[in-house]
Amino acid sequence: MKKPPCSLWFLLLLGAGSLLLLVRLQDLTQLVLQQTPGVNMFEAPRWTNEKDVVTDFTPAADQTEVQFLSDSLLIEDSVGSKQPVTKRHRKLLLRNLNPSGAPSGAEEDQHLQQQLADTQASRRRLLTAVCAKYQPGVSEQPVSQRQVSRVYVEDRSRLLYCEVPKAGCSNWKRVLMVLGGSAAATRGIPHDAAHYANRLRRLENHDRAGIAERLRSYTKVLFVREPFERLVSAFRDKFESPNSYYHPVFGRPIISRYRANATRAALRTGAGVTFREFVQYLLDVRRPVGMDIHWEPVGQLCNPCLLRYNFIGKFENLEEEANFLLRGVGAPRNLTFPDFKDRNPQAERTSSRTTVRYFSQLNSTERQKAFDFYYMDYLMFNYPKPFKDLH
C-alpha cells in the first residue's frame, strides 16, 4: 500500500489547526462582548471635532447649575473616560428624553433668551439711527453732571440705571438696594424708603473722571413706557389721589390758569384737576409751574442719544426683560424683579384701554399737540401712533 505524500499530511494538519484557532477566536469574542456590553467591535471610533463641541454662554450666577448639567450629559466611551457632548450627541439625548419631538424646557428657554438678545440689538440700532438723524454728533459731546442727574449707580454689579418715573422705577430702586447690600429682599422695602432712604448714589455725585469711567465700562440701563400711557399714569397718581405736594404745588396754579369760575375751595387746595386742564398746562409754553420728572419726555430726562444705553427695556414686558438683564449681570439667582404695586394698590392699573378713555376727553388738536410733545420718545423707542388721526 502506497503512503500518502507528505504534502497531503501537511494540508490536513494545517486545516485542523485553523479549525481549532477559529473556535478559540469565537470564544474570545464572546468573552469581550460580555465584559463590554453595547460596544460594536467592528465600528471604528469617532473622534470629536472641535467645531462640533457646543458651548453655551451663561451668567456667572448660573455656573454651578451649568456644571451639574454638563456632567450629567457627558458620554462614557468604551474605556470609561468622558468625552464632550457634541451637537449630534445632544440631539440624540434630547430626542430620547423627549420622544414626542416637542421643544424641551431648556430649548424653549434658550430660544427666549436669544429672542430677548435680538430685541435689544434691534432697539439699539433704531436708537442709533434716530439719534444720527435728529441729533448728529451729540454722542461726542462732553457729559455734564446735570445730564446724568437721574442716573443711579450700583458699583457691585457695574450698573447705571436712569430713573424714568411711571416705568417701574420704584421696583428698580428696590432691586438696586438689594444688589448694593442695603436691603436683604425687595418685598420688605416700603415705597418711601425706596425713594427717600435708599442710600443709592447718583452718577452726578462722582467727579468727572468717575463719571466718564462708569459711562465707559458699566452697563447703562433704561426702561421706557408708551408715552401717552405713562402720562395718564402720572396724572392719576398725582392728581386723582390725595397728595400733599402735587395738589398745592401743581394743582392750584393749574386750576387758577385754566379753569374759569374756579371755586375758592379748588383754588385753596388744588384738588380736582381734570385731565384736560393737566394737558393744557403740559402744552403751554408759558406754563404757570415748571416741568416735572413724572411726565418729562424720556429723551430729555435720560439723554439717550448722549449716553448710548446698552440695555433698553420696555414697561410693557417689564418683568421678563428685567430678569433677563439681572441674569446677564450676574445677580443672585434668588433676586427677581418684583411685580407688586404699592401705591394705591386697590386702583386699576393704567392700561392702553385706560389711556384711550382719558384721551377721549381731548379734541383732535389737543391729542395732536400732545403727540408732538412726545414725538421723539415715540420715534426713539418705536411706539406706534396711539390714534389713527395723528400725523
Side-chain angles (χ1 to χ4, degrees):
M1 184 176 176
K2 229 176 183 183
K3 290 184 179 180
C6 292
S7 58
L8 180 59
W9 284 108
F10 176 78
L11 290 174
L12 289 172
L13 289 172
L14 182 62
S18 299
L19 182 61
L20 290 172
L21 181 61
L22 180 60
V23 171
R24 180 59 180 162
L25 285 173
Q26 287 178 337
D27 292 340
L28 287 171
T29 301
Q30 292 297 326
L31 179 62
V32 172
L33 288 173
Q34 288 172 7
Q35 291 176 347
T36 56
V39 178
N40 189 340
M41 299 295 293
F42 301 101
E43 182 175 340
R46 178 183 181 275
W47 298 102
T48 303
N49 294 325
E50 185 175 319
K51 65 179 181 180
D52 288 337
V53 178
V54 179
T55 56
D56 297 320
F57 167 78
T58 51
D62 293 343
Q63 291 303 312
T64 303
E65 180 180 349
V66 171
Q67 183 62 43
F68 170 77
L69 289 174
S70 299
D71 288 345
S72 67
L73 290 176
L74 287 171
I75 298 175
E76 296 280 350
D77 66 17
S78 60
V79 293
S81 63
K82 294 182 177 181
Q83 296 177 341
V85 179
T86 65
K87 290 180 181 178
R88 179 185 176 190
H89 292 147
R90 183 165 292 187
K91 287 179 181 178
L92 289 171
L93 286 167
L94 290 173
R95 192 175 300 152
N96 290 333
L97 293 172
N98 190 14
S100 65
S104 66
E107 284 181 316
E108 289 180 350
D109 183 64
Q110 188 175 14
H111 179 65
L112 175 61
Q113 300 300 303
Q114 187 59 55
Q115 279 187 322
L116 291 170
D118 292 344
T119 297
Q120 283 302 311
S122 176
R123 289 175 186 170
R124 288 193 299 268
R125 284 195 300 269
L126 173 64
L127 180 60
T128 299
V130 172
C131 291
K133 181 176 181 180
Y134 291 92
Q135 298 184 38
V138 69
S139 62
E140 307 302 322
Q141 297 176 3
V143 178
S144 69
Q145 290 179 306
R146 182 188 62 80
Q147 290 168 320
V148 295
S149 61
R150 309 312 311 176
V151 178
Y152 286 91
V153 180
E154 207 302 285
D155 286 314
R156 286 187 180 183
S157 300
R158 301 175 67 84
L159 274 180
L160 299 179
Y161 165 71
C162 186
E163 171 190 26
V164 177
K166 315 314 298 179
C169 73
S170 299
N171 280 335
W172 262 117
K173 288 179 181 178
R174 292 182 173 97
V175 168
L176 294 177
M177 290 172 70
V178 174
L179 287 174
S182 61
T186 57
R187 177 62 66 174
I189 305 174
H191 178 271
D192 286 351
H195 285 279
Y196 310 118
N198 54 43
R199 301 181 189 174
L200 300 174
R201 291 197 71 183
R202 295 180 189 265
L203 189 56
E204 66 175 344
N205 294 329
H206 293 273
D207 59 24
R208 289 189 178 276
I211 291 173
E213 174 59 24
R214 286 169 174 80
L215 286 174
R216 184 191 66 80
S217 60
Y218 282 21
T219 301
K220 301 184 289 290
V221 179
L222 173 66
F223 270 78
V224 299
R225 186 176 185 176
E226 202 284 332
F228 276 12
E229 188 175 302
R230 177 174 166 246
L231 181 67
V232 170
S233 178
F235 170 77
R236 295 178 67 210
D237 182 35
K238 304 307 178 188
F239 296 102
E240 289 188 345
S241 302
N243 194 296
S244 61
Y245 174 77
Y246 282 90
H247 288 187
V249 174
F250 285 85
R252 291 199 316 207
I254 287 175
I255 291 172
S256 177
R257 171 73 67 91
Y258 306 108
R259 183 181 300 181
N261 303 316
T263 65
R264 288 184 179 180
L267 291 171
R268 184 179 69 255
T269 64
V273 172
T274 68
F275 184 66
R276 190 171 192 176
E277 291 168 343
F278 174 63
V279 172
Q280 285 178 303
Y281 141 78
L282 183 73
L283 302 177
D284 191 346
V285 294
R286 296 181 179 178
R287 58 178 74 97
V289 61
M291 182 55 61
D292 184 83
I293 62 171
H294 289 83
W295 44 83
E296 186 174 6
V298 176
Q300 299 172 18
L301 193 65
C302 293
N303 298 288
C305 290
L306 176 66
L307 301 185
R308 303 176 70 176
Y309 290 89
N310 309 105
F311 192 98
I312 304 166
K314 289 196 172 183
F315 181 83
E316 292 75 16
N317 195 29
L318 176 59
E319 286 180 60
E320 188 172 63
E321 295 187 14
N323 287 327
F324 173 64
L325 172 65
L326 290 174
R327 300 289 76 78
V329 299
R333 292 279 307 167
N334 62 348
L335 177 60
T336 57
F337 195 82
D339 62 351
F340 53 84
K341 180 177 185 285
D342 61 349
R343 275 183 66 83
N344 308 314
Q346 304 304 319
E348 171 197 9
R349 287 180 181 263
T350 302
S351 63
S352 57
R353 183 177 298 180
T354 313
T355 302
V356 169
R357 188 169 74 244
Y358 276 78
F359 270 84
S360 66
Q361 301 171 28
L362 310 180
N363 59 42
S364 59
T365 301
E366 290 167 331
R367 282 198 298 270
Q368 181 63 53
K369 288 181 178 180
F371 179 72
D372 294 341
F373 185 81
Y374 289 106
Y375 178 71
M376 287 303 298
D377 281 7
Y378 275 99
L379 206 59
M380 287 189 292
F381 307 118
N382 199 30
Y383 283 106
K385 292 179 181 179
F387 294 94
K388 292 181 179 179
D389 60 349
L390 297 174
H391 54 270

